[in-house]
Amino acid sequence: MLKATAFACLFFTDEHDNPLQLRAVYSRTHPWQLVGGTMDPGERPWDTALRECQEETGIAFEGPTTLLASVFGRPGKEWPYATIGFVFEGGRLTCDQIRSLALDPAEHDEARVLPLPEWQELMPQRDFARLEAVMEARRSGTAAFFDSWDWDD
């Protein structure tokens, strides 16, 4: 019986620690997203992050495996299941690597790198708060537990 859905992603920045996000063509409620996606049945979180990274950007990331944050959200009207997520460290990408990302047009139509404060205007508050928590986890070296990524505000 399905009780929760799970996702895993990689958190990348440019060389100046500005977060990289992808604009989803399929989600008006979560327009800007980290590189990653929903786990397939039987798949482990790290394997999901690697698979999704390859599919969404063309990057064949290898590691190391460093957890930056775990994410939990309660179900809501839009999505009737709890959501559990894992955000892994992806590291810093060069300008050339960012320019050469191979986006899947069925999922994302743009990759953008911006300073953290500029993301706030482009994202729902809960998504921005998660992004802030991930940035702080990277800065501090302490993994975040972000448990307010709820579907209903």
Side-chain angles (χ1 to χ4, degrees):
M1 183 182 317
L2 187 63
K3 306 260 187 209
T5 59
F7 70 89
C9 50
L10 288 165
F11 177 67
F12 293 104
T13 63
D14 67 4
E15 295 170 308
H16 305 287
D17 288 330
N18 297 312
L20 166 75
Q21 295 197 95
L22 308 178
R23 185 169 62 191
V25 299
Y26 54 82
S27 178
R28 291 176 35 204
T29 55
H30 298 281
W32 291 98
Q33 303 175 355
L34 300 175
V35 175
T38 304
M39 292 172 56
D40 287 341
E43 193 172 42
R44 295 180 184 275
W46 178 244
D47 295 330
T48 298
L50 298 180
R51 175 183 55 76
E52 288 283 344
C53 182
Q54 177 75 46
E55 291 173 3
E56 292 182 352
T57 67
I59 295 173
F61 190 77
E62 294 181 7
T65 308
T66 304
L67 182 68
L68 286 178
S70 62
V71 179
F72 177 80
R74 294 182 305 218
K77 290 179 282 188
E78 180 183 338
W79 188 252
Y81 305 107
T83 302
I84 299 167
F86 304 88
V87 181
F88 296 100
E89 173 66 74
R92 291 168 179 87
L93 301 176
T94 66
C95 290
D96 287 341
Q97 288 174 305
I98 293 168
R99 276 193 296 273
S100 67
L101 294 177
L103 301 182
D104 176 355
E107 290 195 50
H108 302 98
D109 64 359
E110 183 181 352
R112 194 179 290 184
V113 177
L114 295 171
L116 183 63
E118 292 182 33
W119 281 114
Q120 190 165 15
E121 298 175 19
L122 302 174
M123 305 172 68
Q125 179 52 40
R126 66 181 174 263
D127 292 359
F128 182 73
R130 178 185 66 173
L131 183 60
E132 280 186 309
V134 171
M135 286 287 293
E136 176 59 21
R138 179 195 261 183
R139 187 198 65 72
S140 70
T142 301
F145 175 59
F146 187 72
D147 70 344
S148 57
W149 198 61
D150 301 336
W151 285 97
D152 295 334
D153 289 326

